Amino acid sequence: MTSMAKPKISKHLPTNELGLTIRNYEGSMSTLCAGCGHDSVTAALVQAFWELSLAPESAAKVSGIGCSSKTTAYFMGQSHGINTVHGRMPSVATGANAVNGDLHYIGISGDGDSLSIGFGQFAHAIRRNLNMLYIIENNGVYGLTKGQFSASADIGSTTKRGVPNEQTPIDPCVQALTLGAGFVARGFSGDKSQLVPLIKAGLMHRGFALIDVVSPCVTFNDHKGSTKSYAHTYKYYHPLVHTDFVADADEITGEYEADGGMSVTLHDGGILNLRKTESDYDPRDKAQAIDTLMQPRENGEIRTGLLYVDENMADMHEANALPDQPLNKVDYKELCPGSDALGGFLKGYC
C-alpha cells in the first residue's frame, strides 16, 4: 500500500524453506498513486519469490525509466538492482547475464519504456533468448509526463479530455511470439491468484519469459473511455488458461480430467499445471496463440493466462557456449600472466 508504512514486526508470520518471512522480500514504501496497478504487481512478485524460497540476494532487478521502473525499489530490498537509461534496460540485463548467469534476472518495464524508445532493445533480448523474466506493466499511457497515449493504447481509447487514439497499438505478446519467445503470458494486476503462478513459472523458465500485465493508471487512464481501466478490464476479462505452478521440491499429487488438464515440466523440474477454460486451446501451439491474440475484438475481450510455452529452446548461454562460472568468481591471480608477460607481448609490436 502507498498510504501506510509496513509493520516491522514479523515474529508471527509464516516462514518459507529458507526461514524467511514475506517481510524479507519487501522493499521501500511505494511512492506511486494509491490504487496504482503497479503496486499489485509488486505484491505478486514478493509473494512469488517468497513461495519459491529464492534467496533475495540471488535476484537481479533491472528497469528503465517510468512509473513502472520505479517499482524495483518496492520489492526485495536486499537484491541487486539498477535503473538504466530510458529503454536500455535489456542491454544492461544482457551484459550482466553474460558474466553471471547464476542470478534470477527480473526486468520491470512499461509500455512506453519497452514499446516506444526501447522497442529495438526489447526485440533483441527476445531474439537472444536472454534468460530473464521480463514484466511489462501496461497501462496505455505515459504516467510520468501526464497521460499521453503510449504505443499500446487501443484504437478508440480516449484521454481524460475525450480525445480518441487513432493509431494502431503494439501488442507485446504478439511481437514476442513472432520474434521467437519461448514463454509468453498476459495477466491483470487485479487478479493475484493468476499472476503469482505466472510469475513463478516465468522465473523458473530457462530463456526469455514475457508477462504483459494490464496494470491500470488510476490518475490518467482509469476513466470511462479507457480500455485499460479497472472497470473495462474487469468487464471484459477472460482467463484463457488457468495456471498453477508446483515447485520441484513439492510433492505432486492429484489427477486431471481428460478434457481439462495439461502439465508442462520446466527445466528445474517444476510443473506448470494448466486447466483449459477453452477446450481447444493448447499453449504449445504458437499459431493458435497468435491467432487468439489477433482475433477481432468486437466484444472487447482481454485474454489472459499462459498464451505460449516452449521448453526446448537454448538460452543465450547455451547458444553462445558461455562459461558456467560467473566472472566475479574467477581467480584472476591464477589466470592473469602478470605485467612481465604483458611487457614481453607488447615488445613484439615495437
Side-chain angles (χ1 to χ4, degrees), residues 295-307:
Q295 285 174 1
R297 299 182 178 180
E298 287 87 357
N299 59 358
E301 189 172 87
I302 301 171
R303 297 190 163 195
T304 64
L306 181 65
L307 301 168

Side-chain angles (χ1 to χ4, degrees), residues 9 11 27 142 146 190 203 289 334:
I9 300 174
K11 181 178 179 181
Y142 290 97
K146 312 310 178 188
L203 284 168
E334 294 183 3

